[in-house]
Amino acid sequence: MHFISQELEDYIEQHSENEPELLAKLNKETYQKILLPRMLSGHFQGRVLSMLSKLIRPVNILEIGTYTGYAALCLCEGMQENGQLHTIDIKEELVDFQRKYFDASSWGKQIFQHLGEAVDIIPNLDVKFDLVFIDADKENYLNYWEMIVPKMNKGGIILSDNVLWSGKILEPVHPNDVSTKVLLEYNLLLKNDPRVETVLLPIRDGLTVSRVL
């Protein structure tokens, strides 16, 4: 489902900050070489992530779901000089691709890649986070949330991607569609969780911004 027309999306990109050169190269190579390139955050959402990070000025960032590293680099743009970004993914074949672009950036030594299941890795991260971006398997969104909230600093921001799920959250749910069921429960949880205040933005496939109280 396209929430806005392609023409309007093009206009929005043209009147937002330009995509940095390194990210444009990453974007292009992802589409040339990697399966499912639509998973890339892309120009507009990337600039949104960058702007939010610059407003938050995080020290420690967590990303769940690295893919090719585009969003991670956007989030690093607002990170403080002594900051760190921890990013988790299960795809071993993408580690070298990610690292190539991480090392080509200004933050290579501050980006730490974790390979494996996020539900196993998150409990072992002895870090308090200022900014978290959840963009991985939807079936585990509820688990990620409960693991992450206790690891947040007060006032920290949790970003959740794909929460509109191509509009499936408004359609009758197929009995075997676990992802949509979880996202419906997840969206309701974030609305009612007294530990946060939340706004759901219709950016691309839906981006929720939750501030820890």
Side-chain angles (χ1 to χ4, degrees):
M1 175 183 289
H2 290 282
F3 299 111
I4 60 175
S5 69
Q6 186 61 53
E7 292 78 10
L8 190 53
E9 286 189 8
D10 291 343
Y11 182 89
I12 289 169
E13 284 194 5
Q14 291 162 10
H15 292 80
S16 297
E17 195 69 21
N18 292 336
E19 184 179 39
E21 183 178 349
L22 179 65
L23 290 178
K25 290 180 180 178
L26 195 167
N27 194 334
K28 183 177 180 180
E29 188 172 0
T30 297
Y31 272 84
Q32 289 174 334
K33 299 180 179 179
I34 308 298
L35 290 173
L36 303 174
R38 285 183 66 254
M39 291 174 59
L40 194 82
S41 289
H43 177 186
F44 172 54
Q45 187 177 22
R47 292 304 87 205
V48 172
L49 296 177
S50 169
M51 182 68 77
L52 289 171
S53 184
K54 288 170 182 174
L55 292 170
I56 297 161
R57 297 290 293 143
V59 175
N60 292 313
I61 305 171
L62 172 64
E63 178 187 44
I64 306 173
T66 317
Y67 190 47
T68 55
Y70 190 101
L73 291 173
C74 294
L75 295 170
C76 282
E77 290 181 32
M79 184 170 62
Q80 294 190 32
E81 289 184 7
N82 62 332
Q84 297 182 347
L85 181 142
H86 294 265
T87 185
I88 305 170
D89 206 286
I90 60 171
K91 292 184 172 62
E92 185 175 1
E93 66 272 18
L94 293 179
V95 170
D96 290 341
F97 186 102
Q98 297 159 6
R99 179 46 61 184
K100 177 177 72 172
Y101 280 95
F102 292 161
D103 286 345
S105 76
S106 303
W107 309 284
K109 294 181 180 179
Q110 296 167 267
I111 299 175
F112 299 89
Q113 296 162 283
H114 301 270
L115 181 63
E117 297 286 347
V119 290
D120 298 324
I121 293 169
I122 294 169
N124 295 315
L125 294 176
D126 188 21
V127 182
K128 282 282 192 177
F129 294 102
D130 307 296
L131 177 59
V132 173
F133 183 42
I134 306 174
D135 186 19
D137 55 313
K138 312 313 162 194
E139 293 87 346
N140 269 311
Y141 265 37
L142 293 165
N143 294 326
Y144 296 150
W145 180 261
E146 295 302 340
M147 290 178 172
I148 288 166
V149 173
K151 288 181 172 288
M152 298 297 297
N153 286 318
K154 185 177 180 180
I157 299 294
I158 304 171
L159 305 173
S160 307
D161 202 16
N162 305 118
V163 291
L164 295 180
W165 207 223
S166 299
K168 291 181 182 179
I169 43 85
L170 297 178
E171 300 170 356
V173 182
H174 190 279
N176 296 326
D177 188 352
V178 177
S179 294
T180 302
K181 290 178 182 177
V182 170
L183 283 172
L184 286 167
E185 187 176 348
Y186 184 79
N187 291 340
L188 193 60
L189 169 63
L190 270 57
K191 162 67 175 172
N192 295 318
D193 193 325
R195 298 172 294 179
V196 299
E197 56 181 347
T198 289
V199 61
L200 197 164
L201 305 175
I203 294 173
R204 288 194 74 209
D205 198 22
L207 180 70
T208 298
V209 181
S210 302
R211 177 177 174 270
V212 178
L213 300 174

